[in-house]
C-alpha cells in the first residue's frame, strides 16, 4: 500500500498537518494554524480507514523536520514492563519514558529535547516503593539514565544519591525506608541542579496539588499519590505528562531554541481510544481546558465516529464537537467554545475531530491500476466488473481497496459473469508483508481481511472469556438483522457456555470497534458482512452452518406467526421468507408473495418484497437472471409467474454478487406494470359489481398507481446501479 494513498490533502504543503506543525515535509516554513490554545487532533474512522498509516506517514515525512514521538497504545510492551514492578512503574510512566526518549534522541534542527522536569518526577516515582530493597530502588532510578543527555546538569546524580543514601542509613532511626531514599534522591537532584534547573523544578512541581509552591513537597506528594493508586495515581500520572509538555515548551523558549527550532513538535498516539490512550489524552485535555497551554501538537486515533465514549459519558452531545473532512477545502477555523465552567467543561471542547477520508471512485481505480502494474490488462468488461466489485465491497476503505486490488491483480477472471463478489473474495493475496511489515502468507483475500479487520484488534471491553470465539460469534451474526434476530442466533451459538454475551452488548462492542450501525443489518458494513457470510458458509462442510442458522431463524419467525408485526419486514412471515430465500430457494417465497398480493396494501407488499429479496446467494447455482427473464418454467398461474420474475429481478438488484446486466431495469419494470394491470382489472371488476364506492375499489386503484410509480422508480435506480432499498451498508453504491 503506498504510504500516502488517500492522504494527499492532509499531507500537502498547505494541508492540515503542515499548518499544525509549521513545517512542510521538505522542511519549508509554514504559517502556524491556531494560537497558543491547541486542540487535540483526533483522527476518527473505523477499521481499515488508514488511521495508523497516516500517523506513520506523519512520523516518516515530518519527523525529520520537527521533534516527533510515536506510540501505539494498543501494544502491550509498556504494560508488561509495568507489571514487572507494579509499585514503582505503571503503563503510563513506561510510555512517558518511551515518548521522552524519542524527544531526547531527536537529531534535527535544534537537537534533542532535554526532559529534566519529567526525569525528576519519574525518578521520584521509581524510588517510592516502600517494600523494595535499596539496591532495587537504585536500579529503578538507573533505568531513567537514558533520559539525561550528555552535559546535562543531572549527570552523575544517581551515583551521588546512592552514596548519600548509604550514609543516611548509618543514622537511620525509623523503620521506613521510602522517606529517606526519596529525600536523599531529591536532595541530590537539587544540590546538583543549576540555578536554571532549580527554577524549572520549582515552577513545575511547586504547582502540584498541595505543594504550596515547594517543589520538594510536590515531588514527594506525587510519589505518595502514585503509591496510593486509583484516582490519586491518575492525578500523578497526568501531572507527569504536564511536566513533559513543559520540558518541550522550555526547549523552544530558551535562547538556543528560539534561534534553531521552527514549528511545533508532535506527539502521535495510535489506538488512543483504548485505556492507555485515554489516560494520556484526558489529562492533556483537562490541563488545556484550565489554561495550561503548550505547543505540543497531539494527533491521536479513535475508531468510533464520536471520538470515543470517554468524551461523552457525561451526556454531552458529540455533534457539537468541531469536525473537519479533508475534502471540505478550507482548513478548520478551530477555537475553544466560550463560556465553560472550569472543571466542569466537557472534554470534547478541546478536540478537533478529523474524519478519515475514504477513497473516491477515481482513487480506487488508480490504486487498482497501480497494483496491476506490468501485468496484462483484462478485457474492459472484466476490468469494470472488478472495479465495481471492489468499490461495493470496500466502501472506499483503503485497506479493503488495496488488499482486494492485490488479489485481483494476480487473479484471472475469464468473463465478467465469473467475476462475482465471491470470486473476488476467493482471489489469493500473494505472500509478502502487511502495512506494518508483518509477514502475510499466500491466502484468500477474504481470510487476510478478516484477520486484519477483526482478529487483530478486539474490542477493549470484550471479556477475556469471549475473546477466543468473538470471530465465530460475528460470523453467525452475519445473517442477522435487528437485535431480536441476532439474539435468537446468539442464544443458540452460546448454548453450551456458562458466560454469555447478549446481542445488545455485542452491538455496543461492534460500535466501540468502529463499525457502523445499520438499522437494517446487525453487521452494519457490507464488506465485513460479505467476509463473514463467506466464512459462515465455509465453517462446516456443504454450508451446513449457513443453512442451520437460516433454518433456526425460520423456525423462530414461524413460531411468532406470519401476521406478527415486524419492524423491518412488515410481518414475521416476510422475515421468515427472507431466510427461506437465502437458504432454500425461491419457490415457496414466490407462493407466499402471490398469496399476500391481494391481502396487503401495495405499499406493504412492496416493502415486504424488498426486505425478503435483500438476501445473499452463496453456494448455489445462480439462475436468478434466467428466472427474472421468465426463461425457467415456474409452476402456478400467471400471477405467480409474474411475481417470480419480479422477485428474482429485485433479488439480483439488491444482492448484486454477480454482474448486473443492462437489461435488468427493463426486467424490473415489466412485472411491476403487469401486476399494476392485474390490480386495475380488479378495480374495474369491483366497480361493475359494487359501484364506484364499493369496498376494495380505492385500494386496488391506489395499488395499481403505486406499482406504476414503483416500475419507474425501481427501474431508474437499477439503471443508476443504486440499491432499491438504500441503507447505511449501501449508501456508497450507485452511479457507476
Amino acid at each position: 500500500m503506498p504510504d500516502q494513498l488517500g492522504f494527499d490533502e492532509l499531507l500537502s504543503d498547505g494541508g492540515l498537518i503542515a499548518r499544525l506543525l509549521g513545517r512542510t515535509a521538505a522542511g519549508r516554513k509554514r504559517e502556524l494554524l491556531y494560537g497558543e490554545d491547541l486542540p487535540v487532533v483526533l483522527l476518527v474512522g473505523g477499521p481499515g480507514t488508514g488511521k495508523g498509516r497516516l500517523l506513520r506517514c506523519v512520523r516518516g515525512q515530518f519527523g525529520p523536520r520537527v521533534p516527533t514521538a510515536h506510540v501505539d497504545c494498543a501494544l502491550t510492551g509498556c504494560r508488561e514492563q509495568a507489571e514487572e514492578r507494579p509499585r514503582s512503574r505503571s503503563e503510563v510512566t513506561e510510555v512517558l519514558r518511551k515518548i521522552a526518549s524519542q524527544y531526547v534522541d531527536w537529531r534535527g534542527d535544534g537537537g534533542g529535547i532535554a526532559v529534566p522536569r519529567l526525569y525528576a518526577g519519574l525518578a521520584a516515582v521509581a524510588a517510592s516503593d516502600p517494600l523494595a530493597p535499596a539496591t532495587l530502588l537504585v536500579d529503578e532510578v538507573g533505568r531513567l539514565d537514558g533520559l539525561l543527555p550528555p552535559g546535562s546538569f543531572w549527570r552523575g546524580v544517581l551515583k551521588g544519591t546512592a552514596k548519600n543514601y548509604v550514609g543516611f542509613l548509618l543514622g537511620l532511626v525509623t523503620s521506613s525506608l521510602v522517606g529517606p531514599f526519596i529525600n536523599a534522591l531529591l536532595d541530590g537532584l537539587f544540590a546538583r541542579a543549576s540555578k536554571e534547573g532549580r527554577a524549572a523544578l520549582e515552577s513545575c512541581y511547586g504547582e502540584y496539588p498541595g505543594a504550596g509552591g515547594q517543589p520538594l513537597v510536590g515531588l514527594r506528594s506525587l510519589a505518595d499519590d502514585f503509591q496510593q493508586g486509583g484516582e490519586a495515581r491518575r492525578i500523578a500520572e497526568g501531572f507527569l505528562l504536564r511536566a513533559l509538555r513543559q520540558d518541550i515548551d522550555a526547549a523552544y523558549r530558551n535562547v538556543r531554541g528560539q534561534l534553531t527550532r521552527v514549528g511545533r513538535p508532535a506527539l502521535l498516539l495510535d489506538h488512543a481510544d483504548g485505556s492507555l490512550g485515554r489516560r494520556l489524552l484526558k489529562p492533556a485535555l483537562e490541563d488545556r481546558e484550565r489554561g495550561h497551554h503548550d505547543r505540543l501538537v497531539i494527533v491521536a486515533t479513535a475508531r468510533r465516529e464520536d471520538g470515543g465514549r470517554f468524551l461523552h459519558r457525561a451526556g454531552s452531545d458529540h455533534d457539537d464537537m468541531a469536525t473537519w473532512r479533508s475534502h471540505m477545502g478550507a482548513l478548520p477555523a478551530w477555537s475553544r467554545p466560550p463560556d465553560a465552567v472550569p472543571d466542569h467543561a466537557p472534554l470534547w471542547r478541546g478536540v478537533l475531530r478529523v474524519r478519515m477520508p475514504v477513497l473516491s471512485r477515481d482513487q480506487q481505480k488508480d490504486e487498482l491500476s497501480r497494483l496491476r502494474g506490468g501485468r496484462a490488462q483484462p478485457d474492459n468488461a472484466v476490468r469494470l466488473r472488478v472495479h465495481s466489485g471492489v468499490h461495493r465491497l470496500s466502501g472506499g476503505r483503503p485497506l479493503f481497496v488495496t488488499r482486494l486490488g492485490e488479489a485481483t491483480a494476480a487473479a484471472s477472471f475469464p468473463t465478467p459473469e465469473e467475476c462475482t463478489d465471491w470470486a473476488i473474495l476467493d482471489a489469493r493475496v500473494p505472500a509478502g508483508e502487511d502495512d506494518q511489515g508483518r509477514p502475510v502468507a499466500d491466502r484468500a483475500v477474504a481470510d487476510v481481511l478478516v484477520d486484519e479487520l477483526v482478529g487483530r484488534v478486539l474490542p477493549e471491553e470484550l471479556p477475556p472469556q469471549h475473546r477466543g470465539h468473538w470471530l465465530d460469534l460475528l460470523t453467525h451474526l452475519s445473517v442477522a438483522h435487528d437485535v431480536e434476530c441476532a439474539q435468537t442466533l446468539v442464544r443458540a451459538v452460546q448454548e453450551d457456555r456458562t458466560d454469555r454475551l447478549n446481542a445488545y452488548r455485542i452491538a455496543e462492542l461492534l460500535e466501540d470497534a468502529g463499525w457502523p450501525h445499520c438499522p437494517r443489518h446487525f453487521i452494519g458494513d457490507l464488506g465485513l458482512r460479505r467476509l463473514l457470510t463467506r466464512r459462515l458458509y465455509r465453517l462446516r462442510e456443504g454450508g451446513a452452518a449457513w443453512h442451520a442458522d437460516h433454518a433456526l431463524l425460520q423456525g423462530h419467525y414461524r413460531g411468532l406467526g406470519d401476521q406478527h408485526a415486524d419492524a423491518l419486514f412488515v410481518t414475521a412471515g416476510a422475515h421468515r421468507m427472507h431466510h427461506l430465500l437465502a437458504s432454500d430457494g425461491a419457490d415457496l417465497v414466490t407462493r407466499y408473495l402471490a398469496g399476500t398480493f391481494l391481502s396487503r396494501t401495495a405499499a406493504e407488499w412492496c416493502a415486504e418484497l424488498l426486505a425478503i429479496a435483500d438476501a445473499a446467494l452463496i453456494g448455489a447455482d445462480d439462475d436468478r437472471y434466467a428466472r427474472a427473464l421468465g426463461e425457467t418454467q415456474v409452476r402456478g398461474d400467471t400471477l405467480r409467474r409474474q411475481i417470480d420474475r419480479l422477485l428474482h429481478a429485485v433479488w439480483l438488484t439488491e444482492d448484486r454478487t454477480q454482474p448486473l446486466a443492462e437489461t435488468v431495469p427493463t426486467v424490473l419494470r415489466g412485472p411491476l406494470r403487469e401486476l399494476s394491470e392485474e390490480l386495475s382489472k380488479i378495480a374495474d371488476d369491483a366497480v361493475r359489481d359494487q359501484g364506484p364506492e364499493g369496498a376494495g375499489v380505492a385500494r386496488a386503484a391506489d395499488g395499481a398507481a403505486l406499482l406504476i410509480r414503483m416500475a419507474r422508480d425501481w427501474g431508474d435506480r437499477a439503471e443508476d446501479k443504486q440499491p432499491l432499498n438504500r441503507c447505511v451498508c449501501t449508501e456508497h453504491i450507485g452511479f457507476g
Side-chain angles (χ1 to χ4, degrees), residues 253-264:
R253 286 197 311 266
N254 62 32
V255 175
R256 180 185 176 191
Q258 291 176 4
L259 292 174
T260 60
R261 299 190 189 277
V262 176
R264 295 181 179 127

Side-chain angles (χ1 to χ4, degrees), residues 6 71 140 182 210 305 320 409 421 498 539 550 566 622 683 703:
V71 173
E140 281 297 294
I182 286 184
E305 286 293 306
D320 292 333
D421 285 4
T498 54
L539 209 55
H550 282 294
D566 188 283
D622 195 344

Side-chain angles (χ1 to χ4, degrees), residues 610 650 653-654 656 668 714-715 717-718 722-726:
L610 286 180
V650 173
T653 308
E654 293 298 85
R656 212 177 307 187
L668 262 175
W714 289 7
R717 291 180 203 173
Q722 296 184 71
L724 305 182
N725 196 15
R726 188 175 293 277

Side-chain angles (χ1 to χ4, degrees), residues 75-82 94:
L75 299 181
T76 60
C78 289
R79 185 190 320 144
E80 292 165 358
Q81 290 171 342
E94 290 301 293

